[in-house]
């Protein structure tokens, strides 16, 4: 069952925890890929120094101020696209970053996309990527799933990129400080499935 708008129009930390176990799906002409969400981070409002809304409304961060249940995609350090889910009512800027998935559908297509990215960056071929590494980390999520800037502002209630509930349940959910940022590190707003091998950061909670 595809998630409804009301799922996203709630406090961001609630949405973040409830996203664990849900399935991110991307339909393209090349095929369908999907994966169980096992790691996320919340970014909430202009008072959060790590949130893109911290400077106030800009052209870049405008999707954060829009309707919940849309994708917010941006290029990080000129290398990786990162995909976020916009949360809370319109006018309250917040989102959840998808940090890791456990692949379900289209693993062969995911591997092709990952290899294509390495070739484009003139990187040497590496060993075969294991299943749990395909979408381990937010940059790998978008590479494997074929998500780019063209998906920015996309309605997640549509037929191309969406999140659904397939009855997957995640046990032993943990919260920790957000990782690989320099501001707002005191907030324990990273949420993950401790037992998943696809989680991209530390599983030890400080």
């Amino acid at each position: 069952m595809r998630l409804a708008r009301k799922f996203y129009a709630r406090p961001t930390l609630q949405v973040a925890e409830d996203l664990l176990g849900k399935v991110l799906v991307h339909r393209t002409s090349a095929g369908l890929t999907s994966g169980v969400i096992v790691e996320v981070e919340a970014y909430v409002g202009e008072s959060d120094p790590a949130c893109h809304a911290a400077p106030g409304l800009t052209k870049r961060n405008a999707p954060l101020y829009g309707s919940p249940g849309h994708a917010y995609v941006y290029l990080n350090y000129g290398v990786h696209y990162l995909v976020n889910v916009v949360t809370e009512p319109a006018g309250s800027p917040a989102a959840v970053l998808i940090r890791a998935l456990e692949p379900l559908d289209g693993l062969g297509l995911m591997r092709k996309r990952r290899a294509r990215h390495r070739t484009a960056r003139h990187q040497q071929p590496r060993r075969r990527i294991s299943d749990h590494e395909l979408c381990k980390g937010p940059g790998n999520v978008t590479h494997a799933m074929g998500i780019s800037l063209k998906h920015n502002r996309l309605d997640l209630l549509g037929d191309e990129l969406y999140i659904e509930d397939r009855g997957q349940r995640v046990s032993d959910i943990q919260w920790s400080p957000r990782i690989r940022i320099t501001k707002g590190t005191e907030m324990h707003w990273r949420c993950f499935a401790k037992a998943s091998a696809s989680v991209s950061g530390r599983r030890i909670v400080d």
Side-chain angles (χ1 to χ4, degrees):
M1 180 177 66
R2 198 167 306 180
L3 300 184
R5 187 85 60 203
K6 63 182 180 180
F7 176 93
Y8 305 103
R10 298 182 295 144
T12 306
L13 297 182
Q14 292 181 18
V15 177
E17 182 167 358
D18 290 346
L19 278 172
L20 295 186
K22 303 302 187 291
V23 179
L24 179 65
V25 182
H26 189 201
R27 293 182 179 274
T28 70
S29 59
L32 181 145
T33 52
S34 73
V36 179
I37 299 171
V38 293
E39 183 185 5
V40 297
E41 284 179 340
Y43 292 87
V44 189
E46 295 177 355
S47 62
D48 177 1
C51 181
H52 282 186
L57 178 63
T58 66
K59 182 177 180 180
R60 182 197 190 199
N61 68 25
L64 292 176
Y65 290 80
S67 175
H70 284 74
Y72 173 47
V73 183
Y74 61 88
L75 185 62
N76 191 47
Y77 297 116
V79 177
H80 303 293
Y81 298 113
L82 303 187
V83 60
N84 302 256
V85 176
V86 177
T87 57
E88 308 207 10
S92 300
V96 176
L97 169 67
I98 307 299
R99 286 199 57 89
L101 308 174
E102 288 184 356
L104 285 178
D105 301 305
L107 275 68
L109 180 54
M110 289 183 182
R111 286 195 172 86
K112 289 180 181 178
R113 287 170 173 161
R114 289 287 308 276
R116 189 181 307 132
H117 173 70
R118 292 186 63 84
T119 300
R121 295 191 64 204
H122 306 290
Q123 294 178 330
Q124 293 297 317
R126 54 172 290 178
R127 60 176 174 79
R128 183 179 184 274
I129 302 173
S130 65
D131 291 356
H132 74 266
E133 291 177 311
L134 283 169
C135 301
K136 187 174 187 175
N140 290 332
V141 167
T142 55
H143 294 316
M145 293 288 289
I147 299 170
S148 67
L149 284 180
K150 70 179 182 181
H151 299 100
N152 189 33
R153 299 176 180 262
L154 194 68
D155 192 343
L156 296 175
L157 274 64
D159 295 324
E160 181 180 355
L161 183 67
Y162 54 90
I163 301 174
E164 59 185 17
D165 188 346
R166 296 187 184 178
Q168 302 270 0
R169 293 294 175 261
V170 172
S171 59
D172 200 4
I173 293 173
Q174 299 286 323
W175 289 87
S176 80
R178 296 173 295 189
I179 59 178
R180 297 180 179 87
I181 59 174
T182 58
K183 300 176 181 178
T185 55
E186 70 279 6
M187 284 101 158
H188 282 58
W189 286 356
R190 170 176 169 254
C191 186
F192 60 95
K194 188 176 180 181
S196 174
S198 294
V199 170
S200 64
R202 297 179 64 206
R203 293 174 178 78
I204 299 174
V205 180
D206 296 329

